[in-house]
Amino acid sequence: MWIWPSNPSAIPTSSRWSHDPESKRQVFASNAAILTRIDHVAIGVADLASGIAAYRRIGFELDGLGVARNDGDHLQLVPAPREGLQSIALASDDLAADSAAVRARHGIAFITLTAQNNAQEASRHPNGVQRIERVYIAVRDVAAAAGHYARVLGVPAPKMERGTVINADMAIFQLGPTALGLAQPAAPGVCADALERRGPGPFQILYRTRSMDAAAKWMSEHGLPPPARGIRNTGEQAMLVMPEHACGVVIGFVGPA
């Protein structure tokens, strides 16, 4: 799946670009805030009812369509022949211009664009989730992938850092309060497992929660094993629900105890 407007009918007729190709490149490269945040993620499930039950055990409040709404973003379960994280939708403040720009740069796999929407009321998740913090994408060469993402998104390539929970070298593209993380395995761990199991692509959603302990307690009470715990390179505690309990996706949590 390549970067593309998720709702073509919502594309406005106006555009921020001039008709000069060089001007387009300069304007796009100078504006790093046109993609404002991660709007939603789509998770493929073999059976929608079973997927909803699995995510409710993790502590998400989902409606009957498999949607869990957070503060400014949402999760969508979708029936699919292969389980796992299918796509990441980025919100744009000018869908026509941004779609044209990324198409001209040959796109990014697994990424879609959608118009920036007014925030809808968030669900009250038992696991305390407030919003998406990051979505991680496994890659074989993080430096090369970061260069490609930077060119397509029109932003500077971020500096490399070591992810101490997922054991990976990372390039983090900050998009408002959310971020895309490119991750190349540096040691055994969930990133290496995902790359071996599924190949390059998105594999983990990291959520910010009001209470890690409350989330862990809910999961324990609903039959899940204790999440794996680690310490991020920021010094924060994090915990991970493994893909066998989350329809092929690693679900991470970070926040206060």
Side-chain angles (χ1 to χ4, degrees):
M1 183 178 294
W2 295 91
I3 196 161
W4 190 255
S6 63
N7 183 6
S9 65
I11 296 177
T13 56
S14 62
S15 170
R16 72 173 68 124
W17 308 112
S18 75
H19 293 290
D20 174 61
E22 184 61 28
S23 296
K24 293 179 184 179
R25 286 192 291 270
Q26 292 172 352
V27 171
F28 185 65
S30 68
N31 187 352
I34 50 177
L35 299 175
T36 56
R37 65 173 301 135
I38 295 173
D39 180 84
H40 65 274
V41 292
I43 297 173
V45 295
D47 174 75
L48 184 58
S50 297
I52 290 172
Y55 273 79
R56 285 177 175 167
R57 286 193 292 272
I58 298 170
F60 288 95
E61 181 57 45
L62 297 91
D63 64 20
L65 298 176
V67 176
R69 300 193 181 280
N70 308 315
D71 182 11
D73 62 73
H74 66 277
L75 173 157
Q76 172 76 66
L77 303 182
V78 293
R82 187 186 189 195
E83 291 197 325
L85 190 47
Q86 304 289 310
S87 64
I88 307 158
L90 307 181
S92 164
D93 65 359
D94 189 334
L95 189 58
D98 293 343
S99 297
V102 296
R103 280 199 303 270
R105 291 162 174 81
H106 308 297
I108 299 174
F110 311 105
I111 303 292
T112 64
L113 295 187
T114 188
Q116 184 171 292
N117 298 310
N118 294 326
Q120 298 187 4
E121 184 176 358
S123 303
R124 295 291 297 179
H125 303 297
N127 59 18
V129 157
Q130 298 169 294
R131 60 173 174 81
I132 291 175
E133 177 96 350
R134 289 180 183 173
V135 178
Y136 288 104
I137 301 168
V139 298
R140 300 193 190 281
D141 184 335
V142 68
H148 178 61
Y149 273 65
R151 181 176 62 83
V152 174
L153 299 180
V155 298
K159 67 178 183 179
M160 299 297 160
E161 56 186 273
R162 175 60 57 87
T164 54
V165 177
I166 64 174
N167 289 331
D169 292 323
M170 308 187 305
I172 306 300
F173 288 85
Q174 197 68 38
L175 301 169
T178 63
L180 287 176
L182 306 180
Q184 176 185 336
V190 293
C191 183
D193 291 345
L195 195 59
E196 180 179 359
R197 185 179 75 252
R198 297 179 59 87
F203 71 98
Q204 179 184 331
I205 310 167
L206 178 65
Y207 285 98
R208 184 155 290 276
T209 178
R210 295 182 180 86
S211 171
M212 299 262 286
D213 290 346
K217 183 174 184 291
W218 173 273
M219 287 182 265
S220 175
E221 291 173 347
H222 289 79
L224 268 65
R229 291 190 180 247
I231 300 176
R232 302 176 78 193
N233 59 14
T234 61
E236 286 185 294
Q237 292 277 338
M239 62 186 188
L240 303 177
V241 176
M242 295 303 165
E244 58 266 31
H245 305 294
C247 304
V249 183
V250 178
I251 300 295
F253 296 89
V254 63

mmCIF file of all heavy atoms in Angstrom, residues 37-38 88 90 131-136 172-181:
data_model
loop_
_atom_site.group_PDB
_atom_site.id
_atom_site.type_symbol
_atom_site.label_atom_id
_atom_site.label_comp_id
_atom_site.label_asym_id
_atom_site.label_seq_id
_atom_site.Cartn_x
_atom_site.Cartn_y
_atom_site.Cartn_z
ATOM 1 N N ARG A 37 -0.126 14.905 12.164
ATOM 2 C CA ARG A 37 -0.086 13.858 13.185
ATOM 3 C C ARG A 37 -0.472 12.525 12.559
ATOM 4 O O ARG A 37 -0.901 12.475 11.397
ATOM 5 C CB ARG A 37 -1.048 14.170 14.342
ATOM 6 C CG ARG A 37 -2.523 14.183 13.948
ATOM 7 C CD ARG A 37 -3.441 14.334 15.160
ATOM 8 N NE ARG A 37 -3.227 13.255 16.106
ATOM 9 C CZ ARG A 37 -3.121 13.436 17.438
ATOM 10 N NH1 ARG A 37 -3.228 14.624 17.961
ATOM 11 N NH2 ARG A 37 -2.933 12.407 18.237
ATOM 12 N N ILE A 38 -0.330 11.450 13.327
ATOM 13 C CA ILE A 38 -0.933 10.173 12.937
ATOM 14 C C ILE A 38 -2.425 10.261 13.240
ATOM 15 O O ILE A 38 -2.822 10.541 14.373
ATOM 16 C CB ILE A 38 -0.289 9.003 13.683
ATOM 17 C CG1 ILE A 38 1.184 8.861 13.275
ATOM 18 C CG2 ILE A 38 -1.044 7.703 13.403
ATOM 19 C CD1 ILE A 38 1.952 7.844 14.091
ATOM 20 N N ILE A 88 -0.937 3.061 8.104
ATOM 21 C CA ILE A 88 -0.861 4.202 9.008
ATOM 22 C C ILE A 88 -1.347 5.409 8.222
ATOM 23 O O ILE A 88 -0.819 5.708 7.145
ATOM 24 C CB ILE A 88 0.585 4.455 9.476
ATOM 25 C CG1 ILE A 88 1.195 3.179 10.060
ATOM 26 C CG2 ILE A 88 0.657 5.609 10.473
ATOM 27 C CD1 ILE A 88 2.718 3.181 10.047
ATOM 28 N N LEU A 90 -1.791 9.431 7.948
ATOM 29 C CA LEU A 90 -1.288 10.702 8.447
ATOM 30 C C LEU A 90 -2.272 11.807 8.095
ATOM 31 O O LEU A 90 -2.769 11.873 6.972
ATOM 32 C CB LEU A 90 0.083 11.020 7.837
ATOM 33 C CG LEU A 90 1.157 9.943 7.972
ATOM 34 C CD1 LEU A 90 2.458 10.432 7.347
ATOM 35 C CD2 LEU A 90 1.373 9.561 9.426
ATOM 36 N N ARG A 131 -3.565 8.386 23.757
ATOM 37 C CA ARG A 131 -3.295 8.651 22.349
ATOM 38 C C ARG A 131 -2.148 7.773 21.870
ATOM 39 O O ARG A 131 -1.438 7.167 22.670
ATOM 40 C CB ARG A 131 -2.918 10.122 22.127
ATOM 41 C CG ARG A 131 -1.677 10.558 22.886
ATOM 42 C CD ARG A 131 -1.225 11.958 22.507
ATOM 43 N NE ARG A 131 -0.132 12.420 23.336
ATOM 44 C CZ ARG A 131 1.148 12.104 23.159
ATOM 45 N NH1 ARG A 131 1.488 11.284 22.157
ATOM 46 N NH2 ARG A 131 2.093 12.571 23.948
ATOM 47 N N ILE A 132 -1.968 7.743 20.561
ATOM 48 C CA ILE A 132 -0.784 7.118 19.980
ATOM 49 C C ILE A 132 0.430 7.980 20.273
ATOM 50 O O ILE A 132 0.392 9.197 20.097
ATOM 51 C CB ILE A 132 -0.956 6.941 18.461
ATOM 52 C CG1 ILE A 132 -2.027 5.869 18.155
ATOM 53 C CG2 ILE A 132 0.370 6.561 17.799
ATOM 54 C CD1 ILE A 132 -2.334 5.728 16.676
ATOM 55 N N GLU A 133 1.484 7.354 20.713
ATOM 56 C CA GLU A 133 2.770 8.027 20.901
ATOM 57 C C GLU A 133 3.638 7.858 19.648
ATOM 58 O O GLU A 133 4.183 8.830 19.116
ATOM 59 C CB GLU A 133 3.484 7.423 22.110
ATOM 60 C CG GLU A 133 4.860 7.980 22.378
ATOM 61 C CD GLU A 133 4.862 9.093 23.408
ATOM 62 O OE1 GLU A 133 3.775 9.575 23.800
ATOM 63 O OE2 GLU A 133 5.953 9.501 23.817
ATOM 64 N N ARG A 134 3.762 6.619 19.191
ATOM 65 C CA ARG A 134 4.554 6.317 17.996
ATOM 66 C C ARG A 134 3.993 5.080 17.319
ATOM 67 O O ARG A 134 3.337 4.255 17.963
ATOM 68 C CB ARG A 134 6.022 6.020 18.344
ATOM 69 C CG ARG A 134 6.833 7.198 18.787
ATOM 70 C CD ARG A 134 8.263 6.773 19.111
ATOM 71 N NE ARG A 134 9.042 7.888 19.612
ATOM 72 C CZ ARG A 134 10.274 7.782 20.092
ATOM 73 N NH1 ARG A 134 10.871 6.584 20.131
ATOM 74 N NH2 ARG A 134 10.919 8.850 20.537
ATOM 75 N N VAL A 135 4.295 4.956 16.032
ATOM 76 C CA VAL A 135 4.115 3.699 15.321
ATOM 77 C C VAL A 135 5.467 3.331 14.729
ATOM 78 O O VAL A 135 6.130 4.170 14.104
ATOM 79 C CB VAL A 135 3.058 3.806 14.205
ATOM 80 C CG1 VAL A 135 2.946 2.480 13.454
ATOM 81 C CG2 VAL A 135 1.699 4.188 14.791
ATOM 82 N N TYR A 136 5.895 2.081 14.943
ATOM 83 C CA TYR A 136 7.211 1.638 14.505
ATOM 84 C C TYR A 136 7.100 0.796 13.236
ATOM 85 O O TYR A 136 6.210 -0.055 13.111
ATOM 86 C CB TYR A 136 7.898 0.822 15.596
ATOM 87 C CG TYR A 136 8.375 1.651 16.766
ATOM 88 C CD1 TYR A 136 7.687 1.639 17.974
ATOM 89 C CD2 TYR A 136 9.521 2.428 16.664
ATOM 90 C CE1 TYR A 136 8.132 2.390 19.052
ATOM 91 C CE2 TYR A 136 9.973 3.180 17.737
ATOM 92 C CZ TYR A 136 9.274 3.160 18.926
ATOM 93 O OH TYR A 136 9.705 3.911 19.981
ATOM 94 N N ILE A 172 13.388 8.700 14.172
ATOM 95 C CA ILE A 172 12.060 9.070 14.633
ATOM 96 C C ILE A 172 11.618 10.356 13.932
ATOM 97 O O ILE A 172 12.229 11.410 14.100
ATOM 98 C CB ILE A 172 12.027 9.279 16.161
ATOM 99 C CG1 ILE A 172 12.567 8.033 16.881
ATOM 100 C CG2 ILE A 172 10.613 9.611 16.623
ATOM 101 C CD1 ILE A 172 11.802 6.765 16.616
ATOM 102 N N PHE A 173 10.541 10.253 13.154
ATOM 103 C CA PHE A 173 9.961 11.407 12.481
ATOM 104 C C PHE A 173 8.798 11.924 13.330
ATOM 105 O O PHE A 173 7.758 11.275 13.416
ATOM 106 C CB PHE A 173 9.465 11.025 11.088
ATOM 107 C CG PHE A 173 10.566 10.773 10.101
ATOM 108 C CD1 PHE A 173 11.175 9.532 10.018
ATOM 109 C CD2 PHE A 173 11.003 11.786 9.266
ATOM 110 C CE1 PHE A 173 12.199 9.291 9.108
ATOM 111 C CE2 PHE A 173 12.026 11.562 8.348
ATOM 112 C CZ PHE A 173 12.632 10.314 8.266
ATOM 113 N N GLN A 174 8.988 13.076 13.951
ATOM 114 C CA GLN A 174 7.959 13.630 14.822
ATOM 115 C C GLN A 174 6.904 14.341 13.993
ATOM 116 O O GLN A 174 7.218 15.200 13.152
ATOM 117 C CB GLN A 174 8.580 14.604 15.824
ATOM 118 C CG GLN A 174 7.683 14.915 17.008
ATOM 119 C CD GLN A 174 7.476 13.714 17.927
ATOM 120 O OE1 GLN A 174 8.389 12.931 18.154
ATOM 121 N NE2 GLN A 174 6.266 13.578 18.452
ATOM 122 N N LEU A 175 5.645 13.993 14.202
ATOM 123 C CA LEU A 175 4.512 14.603 13.512
ATOM 124 C C LEU A 175 3.543 15.096 14.577
ATOM 125 O O LEU A 175 2.683 14.355 15.055
ATOM 126 C CB LEU A 175 3.824 13.591 12.588
ATOM 127 C CG LEU A 175 4.702 12.962 11.493
ATOM 128 C CD1 LEU A 175 3.983 11.803 10.837
ATOM 129 C CD2 LEU A 175 5.104 14.011 10.463
ATOM 130 N N GLY A 176 3.698 16.335 14.991
ATOM 131 C CA GLY A 176 2.893 16.856 16.084
ATOM 132 C C GLY A 176 3.150 16.060 17.351
ATOM 133 O O GLY A 176 4.303 15.783 17.697
ATOM 134 N N PRO A 177 2.095 15.621 18.049
ATOM 135 C CA PRO A 177 2.289 14.859 19.286
ATOM 136 C C PRO A 177 2.605 13.383 19.042
ATOM 137 O O PRO A 177 2.825 12.635 19.986
ATOM 138 C CB PRO A 177 0.936 15.001 19.996
ATOM 139 C CG PRO A 177 -0.041 15.120 18.868
ATOM 140 C CD PRO A 177 0.666 15.903 17.785
ATOM 141 N N THR A 178 2.604 12.963 17.781
ATOM 142 C CA THR A 178 2.823 11.558 17.431
ATOM 143 C C THR A 178 4.100 11.441 16.600
ATOM 144 O O THR A 178 4.683 12.441 16.193
ATOM 145 C CB THR A 178 1.635 11.000 16.638
ATOM 146 O OG1 THR A 178 1.523 11.722 15.402
ATOM 147 C CG2 THR A 178 0.333 11.162 17.423
ATOM 148 N N ALA A 179 4.527 10.211 16.336
ATOM 149 C CA ALA A 179 5.755 10.032 15.568
ATOM 150 C C ALA A 179 5.741 8.709 14.826
ATOM 151 O O ALA A 179 5.141 7.723 15.277
ATOM 152 C CB ALA A 179 6.981 10.093 16.481
ATOM 153 N N LEU A 180 6.430 8.695 13.678
ATOM 154 C CA LEU A 180 6.753 7.473 12.959
ATOM 155 C C LEU A 180 8.180 7.093 13.312
ATOM 156 O O LEU A 180 9.089 7.922 13.215
ATOM 157 C CB LEU A 180 6.664 7.691 11.450
ATOM 158 C CG LEU A 180 5.288 7.836 10.813
ATOM 159 C CD1 LEU A 180 5.459 8.140 9.327
ATOM 160 C CD2 LEU A 180 4.457 6.589 11.011
ATOM 161 N N GLY A 181 8.385 5.845 13.700
ATOM 162 C CA GLY A 181 9.717 5.372 14.031
ATOM 163 C C GLY A 181 10.169 4.287 13.071
ATOM 164 O O GLY A 181 9.528 3.237 12.974
#
